[in-house]
Structure formats: C-alpha cells, structure tokens
Amino acid sequence: MSHVDSEVRPSNFIRSIVNEDLESGKHTSVHTRFPPEPNGFLHIGHAKSICLNFGIAKDYNGQCNLRFDDTNPEKEDINYVHSIQEDVTWLGFQWDGDIRYSSNYFDKLHQYAIELITKGLAYVCFLNADETREYRGTLTEPGKDSPYRDVSVEENLELFEKMRKGDYKEGECSLRAKIDMASSFMCMRDPIIYRVRFAHHHQTGDKWCIYPMYDFTHCISDAIEHISHSLCSLEFQDNRRLYDWVLDNLHDFQTPDRTRQYEFSRLNLEYTLMSKRKLNDLVVRNLVQGWDDPRMPTIAGLRRRGYTAASIREFCLRIGVTKQENMIEVAMLDACIREELNDKAPRAMAVIHPVKVIIENYPEGQIETLNAPVHPSHDVMGTRELAFGREIYIDADDFREEANKKYKRLVQGKEVRLRNAYVIKAERCDKDADGNITTIYCHYDDETLGKNPSDGRKVKGVIHWVEATTAKPAEFRLYERLFTDPNPAAAETVDEVINPNSLVIAHGLVEANLVNAEAEHAYQFEREGYFCADSKDSTADSLVFNLTVALRDSSQ
Ligand code: ATP
Ligand code: MG
C-alpha cells in the first residue's frame, strides 16, 4: 500500500478501517486529532491515544491536529494548555499546523445552533436540573417531552438570543436538541447542546456567557478540521449516534468523506488512577507533591522519574489497540523502561545506606585513579575514572559478621571483590551502643586489580563502593507504587488504598562523576537500580536521585 511507510507495526482494527477507507477511495488521506481537555496534566492513558492518533497520521503520511477541547471554562486553565503541548512534544510527536481550540469555533457553533433551531431541531428549555432529570426517564422507561418542546421557531430564536445576551441565570434554561425522548440511547433524549455559564474563558475571555456542550462541539470541530477518523475511547460508543445526528442535520457537512467516530478501549493500568479529576484530588490534597510528582502516572511524572519517551511509546505499542476492556500489569510498563535502560544507561556506583570501611594495609593519604567501563557491553560508551583510597563506603546490607554460603557479599573473616577494584578481606568491625556496625576494618590484596588472586583463591561475591574523600553526598528518593490495591479506582476513598511507603528517602553517597548527572537521564547504579537526577531539586551541591525502576521485577 503506497500510503504506509516502511516501518513495521502491528496492525489493529483501526488500521484495518483506515486501510479499507483508503482502498475504497472514501478518503484519499488520513487526518486524525488528539483532543485533550485542558483540565489537568496528561497521563499514560493519554499516551495511548497520542501514540494511536499521531502514530497513524505518521505511518500513513497523513496529518494529526492537537485540539484543546475547551468547552468547560471553569475547570480549565492555561497552564494545562502549556503542559499538554510540552508533553506531546516530549513524547516525540508534532501536530500539524497551529494548535486548535474548540473555542476557535464558538462563532460557528453558535451559527450551527441557530441552524438547528431554524430547522425545528433545537429548543430553549426552562426545566430546572431536577425536572430535566425526571423528564429524561431511565434505562428501562422512556422519557417525557419537555413542555417547551413545541414552542415556535421564531420564539426559540429570540430566547436563544436572550440566552446569549446574558438575560438568563445559570441553570435557568438551556438549548436542547429535539431528537427522541423515547430513544433507547439516553444521550439521544433531547440532549443539552448549550448552557449558560458566566465564566471567564482562557481563550475567549468574557465574550460568551453560553457554552456549547462536548457532544455538540466535538463532531462539528472534527468536521470543520476535515478529520477522517475520529478516534475516542469506548465510553463514547453511544454518543456516536448524537455525533452523527448533529452532522446529518447541518447543511455544511453533507459530504461522502465526512468524519466518523471509532471507539477503542482505554488503558487501565494496575495500581494506578487514570482520571484527571482523581489525579487532581491527589494534588489538591497534597497526597503527592504536584502533577509531576515522580509517583504520578502523568507524562510529566514519568519523565521526572526517568522514563524515556521511547519506553512509553514502546509500551503503547505492546498494549495494542482493541475494543476489549482490560487491566494492564504495571510489570509491562516497567519492562519497557528496564529493557531500554539496561541497554543504554551509563553505569555508576552509589551507596544508599553507607557504612565506612578502612583498608588498613592501604597507604594513608594515598588516592589512586582506577578506570571502569561506562557500560559493560558497549565499549563505545568509554570509561570513567574512579578514585580509590584507604577509606571507602559500602552498603550496610553488604556486610555481615556471620552468614551462610548463600550470602555472596562481605563477611567477617572472608573476602569479596570491590566492583571495578580490588579484593578485600574483612577483619573486624566497630559497633555503636545500639549494636549498629559503624566501621569495618579490612585488608586488600594489591595483586587483584582486574585479575583473580594468583594462588587460585576463589572470590565469588562482588559489591559496590565509593571512595570516602571524593564521594558526594546524595539524597535517594526510593519510590514504590502509590497504591496498595491493584484497582484503586474501585476503592471508596483513596485514603483506604494509598501506600504510606510510596516514598522513602535515604541519604547516602555517589561516585564523584555524578556531580554532573543530567536531570531525567537515568544511570544504572550498579546492584541498586536505575536512578536519575531530579529535575526540580537536584543541584551540583545537593544531589537528589529518583529511583526510576528496580533492576529486576521483584513480583515474579
Ligand atoms: P480523564 O478522565 O483522565 O480526564 P478524559 O477522556 O476525560 O480522561 P480528555 O482530555 O478528554 O480526557 O482525553 C483526550 C483524549 O485522550 C480522548 O480522546 C480520550 O479518549 C483519550 N484518553 C483519555 N484517557 C485515556 C485512557 N486511559 N486510555 C486511552 N485513551 C484515553
Ligand atoms: Mg474529560
């Protein structure tokens, strides 16, 4: 097929529809859009929609618009408009042409509403919210016609103009489409298409006191932008009737290549909340430190945590696009970043819970420089210098006075290899009044740099370390999942399921090379995990590292 570029991608039912539409000639090119509401930061669920919409446009040499669906001025904010653009760009996608806003079309939408009124297909209704609900009926019972349904076209045009001028209070009246109060689709029971809101809008200021509803706005915005395939999540399946009804009844949109809506299942991820409203609650209640807290499933949070755009795109590719509702395991997302970092991340040494080691047979005051590979399997990444001296730090977990054979680290009276350096033997240790080990006294074998002991002694364990006088203090932010329940959305309140240990802070030491660690670029701290410098809080004088992901999947 000439439209598809050479990149091999798994197909899905949406790509099949696109292929058919191009083959049949219904469309000659593909035009999609990503339509976020600017009422929060984008999350990993949005990444699925972004990868789908921008990915299809890219693969078929088509176009994808970024359109802010901004019909809800009270909940929206210009800061979200900015963060969303930044996140889409960071994910590696570029929208075609200018940023669009549904609010760009408020004048046109207003005209289309008048067209519906003129055709006897919309009316101003003065039922209050309770009455409207009562008249709507239920899933099992049909609704009742509003008493305002049969008011004349002329009168409705006047009433709608009065609505626009601000003559009615919020909630006093609304403009409704005249469809079918007995429809089995609730959304077709004379849905509200315009309501009164005396709210300042981030794009249109105070120009309007009536705002169009999503269902009326979305289809018209798609049609105006000549979107070919309007992709949305499954909860809008019923609304497709309304999407088509609105366009069917407007003169401008009677073309054979008119936009059509297709639904796919949204991403649900275990242990993760995925609704901007619920994520906003976490922020407002200070349960996290903002939308870009590294524990948040937001694009900004994942990025600050050390996830790469490529790993998120890879994840979206692996989960695929279907119509089946399902819950994806977190392990799948972790695997994507772990695989990438295992291959690409530079190695470094960091000691998270330091305990001092004195190498008694090493000359006092001497510091030597050792070389270590930046990556054990990629020589092209070069080497780094490590200082070594008489005093070093190792992790408290890597020393025992006594241990069985399974413990392959430092044990009193036994030997271990220091990663990238010598073999040392622990002789004795000091303890404080509480029995905590404070200093370990060792001897090193100066014949063991880069080689095994010459007398054939076998030294199995390898531990990491940093040199005491050159190492830099660092804060380590050790993250666990934010919730204790795989389906936190089902809990009555988040308080029941929030993990009190989702952030544990430790203070330790890192090798001196990390002073210049670039924020958000993860390292593998050998034997510890993948970590990146925090983009907000880490400075050369006060290093802060976020745990991106552990070395292995501990749930297996
Ligand atoms: P939220 O409840 O998080 O606010 P939303 O659907 O209301 O989600 P929008 O800003 O309206 O958020 O979403 C923009 C686009 O992203 C929509 O097309 C929507 O279908 C899609 N989207 C949102 N959440 C998901 C998800 N979890 N999986 C896949 N697509 C999603
Ligand atoms: Mg929404």
Side-chain angles (χ1 to χ4, degrees), residues 447-513:
E447 297 289 307
T448 54
L449 183 61
K451 51 181 197 263
N452 288 326
S454 49
D455 62 4
R457 272 156 34 233
K458 291 259 183 310
V459 180
K460 288 227 177 82
V462 181
I463 62 172
H464 60 283
W465 55 277
V466 292
E467 191 278 322
T469 63
T470 52
K472 302 292 171 197
E475 173 176 317
F476 300 95
R477 296 181 180 167
L478 308 170
Y479 298 109
E480 282 181 19
R481 35 180 76 129
L482 192 49
F483 298 104
T484 53
D485 192 291
N487 188 9
E492 218 135 279
T493 66
V494 290
D495 305 271
E496 286 168 29
V497 290
I498 196 118
N499 176 4
N501 300 318
S502 63
L503 168 60
V504 172
I505 293 180
H507 292 276
L509 296 157
V510 294
E511 66 176 67
N513 296 314

Side-chain angles (χ1 to χ4, degrees), residues 331-527:
M332 201 155 154
L333 179 59
D334 288 351
C336 292
I337 185 65
R338 195 180 283 124
E339 282 171 29
E340 182 180 336
L341 294 180
N342 182 40
D343 185 48
K344 302 222 170 89
R347 272 42 175 178
M349 290 198 284
V351 177
I352 297 179
H353 303 106
V355 59
K356 184 174 270 189
V357 171
I358 297 179
I359 301 167
E360 292 177 296
N361 60 339
Y362 195 90
E364 253 175 271
Q366 177 178 312
I367 296 287
E368 69 180 298
T369 303
L370 308 178
N371 277 297
V374 173
H375 192 293
S377 44
H378 298 315
D379 288 347
V380 289
M381 288 175 75
T383 59
R384 65 192 206 269
E385 293 188 340
L386 293 174
F388 187 81
R390 180 179 161 90
E391 295 195 3
I392 63 172
Y393 286 94
I394 66 169
D395 200 279
D397 248 12
D398 284 340
F399 174 73
R400 301 257 170 97
E401 286 175 275
E402 282 173 42
N404 63 25
K405 281 211 174 100
K406 279 194 201 139
Y407 185 82
K408 299 240 168 8
R409 308 181 216 175
L410 185 60
V411 180
Q412 196 152 297
K414 305 226 166 83
E415 288 183 308
V416 80
R417 174 169 291 280
L418 295 175
R419 181 107 179 120
N420 301 309
Y422 301 95
V423 168
I424 57 169
K425 181 177 183 189
E427 308 291 351
R428 62 185 198 287
C429 62
D430 287 344
K431 292 184 204 168
D432 64 16
D434 300 325
N436 300 311
I437 290 159
T438 52
T439 309
I440 305 159
Y441 298 89
C442 295
H443 281 95
Y444 86 120
D445 178 346
D446 67 355
E447 297 289 307
T448 54
L449 183 61
K451 51 181 197 263
N452 288 326
S454 49
D455 62 4
R457 272 156 34 233
K458 291 259 183 310
V459 180
K460 288 227 177 82
V462 181
I463 62 172
H464 60 283
W465 55 277
V466 292
E467 191 278 322
T469 63
T470 52
K472 302 292 171 197
E475 173 176 317
F476 300 95
R477 296 181 180 167
L478 308 170
Y479 298 109
E480 282 181 19
R481 35 180 76 129
L482 192 49
F483 298 104
T484 53
D485 192 291
N487 188 9
E492 218 135 279
T493 66
V494 290
D495 305 271
E496 286 168 29
V497 290
I498 196 118
N499 176 4
N501 300 318
S502 63
L503 168 60
V504 172
I505 293 180
H507 292 276
L509 296 157
V510 294
E511 66 176 67
N513 296 314
L514 289 168
V515 177
N516 299 316
E518 194 179 341
E520 297 174 356
H521 285 66
Y523 285 80
Q524 185 193 96
F525 287 173
E526 296 187 77
R527 300 185 61 244

Side-chain angles (χ1 to χ4, degrees), residues 134-144 181-183 186 189:
E134 191 197 317
Y135 274 69
R136 190 176 293 129
T138 64
L139 283 172
T140 50
E141 284 181 31
K144 286 187 294 187
M181 289 307 292
S183 172
M186 297 300 281
R189 295 187 184 174

Side-chain angles (χ1 to χ4, degrees), residues 8-28:
V8 180
R9 288 188 180 263
S11 195
N12 57 49
F13 77 98
I14 294 191
R15 283 169 184 264
S16 305
I17 292 167
V18 170
N19 288 339
E20 281 166 28
D21 287 348
L22 291 170
E23 268 158 32
S24 73
K26 180 182 176 200
H27 294 290
T28 51

Side-chain angles (χ1 to χ4, degrees), residues 33-39 41-50 53 69 84 214 218 231-236 264-268 274-279:
R33 87 287 170 265
F34 173 63
E37 185 181 350
N39 62 346
F41 276 52
L42 296 182
H43 51 60
I44 181 91
H46 292 113
K48 172 174 178 171
S49 177
I50 291 171
N53 280 295
D69 222 323
I84 288 171
Y214 170 87
H218 200 80
L231 313 176
C232 65
S233 32
L234 273 179
E235 66 272 21
F236 293 102
F264 62 93
S265 62
R266 33 194 313 130
L267 167 64
N268 299 305
M274 201 89 82
S275 134
K276 284 187 245 122
R277 187 177 55 76
K278 290 181 178 171
L279 295 176

Side-chain angles (χ1 to χ4, degrees), residues 147-436:
Y148 304 95
R149 208 173 195 257
D150 294 318
V151 171
S152 72
V153 166
E154 290 68 32
E155 200 175 328
N156 269 309
L157 286 171
E158 267 170 44
L159 292 170
F160 187 50
E161 176 56 10
K162 285 175 82 176
M163 259 177 86
R164 190 195 63 78
K165 284 196 331 218
D167 290 356
Y168 299 116
K169 293 197 293 286
E170 290 188 7
E172 195 176 347
C173 61
S174 60
L175 184 70
R176 298 176 68 178
K178 194 196 277 191
I179 310 181
D180 178 7
M181 289 307 292
S183 172
S184 55
F185 296 100
M186 297 300 281
C187 65
M188 298 297 271
R189 295 187 184 174
D190 290 10
I192 294 174
I193 58 177
Y194 258 96
R195 58 191 180 144
V196 178
R197 280 287 180 277
F198 289 93
H200 184 82
H201 189 286
H202 52 95
Q203 301 298 319
T204 58
D206 295 314
K207 178 172 177 188
W208 298 92
C209 66
I210 52 170
Y211 288 97
M213 300 298 285
Y214 170 87
D215 282 316
F216 181 66
T217 309
H218 200 80
C219 53
I220 294 176
S221 306
D222 283 346
I224 290 173
E225 293 176 13
H226 299 289
I227 299 305
S228 58
H229 299 81
S230 178
L231 313 176
C232 65
S233 32
L234 273 179
E235 66 272 21
F236 293 102
Q237 207 159 15
D238 287 356
N239 302 53
R240 183 174 1 106
R241 275 82 193 171
L242 183 50
Y243 186 99
D244 290 336
W245 183 93
V246 170
L247 296 181
D248 282 345
N249 287 295
L250 293 172
H251 172 265
D252 283 354
F253 305 124
Q254 306 314 310
T255 50
D257 63 347
R258 191 175 83 195
T259 173
R260 277 209 51 179
Q261 175 183 304
Y262 299 93
E263 308 88 17
F264 62 93
S265 62
R266 33 194 313 130
L267 167 64
N268 299 305
L269 191 59
E270 278 184 345
Y271 298 97
T272 308
L273 281 182
M274 201 89 82
S275 134
K276 284 187 245 122
R277 187 177 55 76
K278 290 181 178 171
L279 295 176
N280 187 48
D281 281 348
L282 300 177
V283 174
V284 170
R285 294 187 52 207
N286 287 317
L287 293 169
V288 293
Q289 289 151 18
W291 283 95
D292 64 350
D293 185 301
R295 291 165 294 181
M296 288 283 266
T298 51
I299 307 294
L302 289 164
R303 171 181 175 179
R304 190 169 161 199
R305 178 98 179 240
Y307 278 73
T308 61
S311 70
I312 295 173
R313 292 195 303 264
E314 173 64 22
F315 172 70
C316 292
L317 206 64
R318 288 187 194 180
I319 57 177
V321 180
T322 68
K323 274 177 145 358
Q324 252 71 59
E325 289 287 2
N326 57 8
M327 182 73 99
I328 304 288
E329 290 178 14
V330 186
M332 201 155 154
L333 179 59
D334 288 351
C336 292
I337 185 65
R338 195 180 283 124
E339 282 171 29
E340 182 180 336
L341 294 180
N342 182 40
D343 185 48
K344 302 222 170 89
R347 272 42 175 178
M349 290 198 284
V351 177
I352 297 179
H353 303 106
V355 59
K356 184 174 270 189
V357 171
I358 297 179
I359 301 167
E360 292 177 296
N361 60 339
Y362 195 90
E364 253 175 271
Q366 177 178 312
I367 296 287
E368 69 180 298
T369 303
L370 308 178
N371 277 297
V374 173
H375 192 293
S377 44
H378 298 315
D379 288 347
V380 289
M381 288 175 75
T383 59
R384 65 192 206 269
E385 293 188 340
L386 293 174
F388 187 81
R390 180 179 161 90
E391 295 195 3
I392 63 172
Y393 286 94
I394 66 169
D395 200 279
D397 248 12
D398 284 340
F399 174 73
R400 301 257 170 97
E401 286 175 275
E402 282 173 42
N404 63 25
K405 281 211 174 100
K406 279 194 201 139
Y407 185 82
K408 299 240 168 8
R409 308 181 216 175
L410 185 60
V411 180
Q412 196 152 297
K414 305 226 166 83
E415 288 183 308
V416 80
R417 174 169 291 280
L418 295 175
R419 181 107 179 120
N420 301 309
Y422 301 95
V423 168
I424 57 169
K425 181 177 183 189
E427 308 291 351
R428 62 185 198 287
C429 62
D430 287 344
K431 292 184 204 168
D432 64 16
D434 300 325
N436 300 311

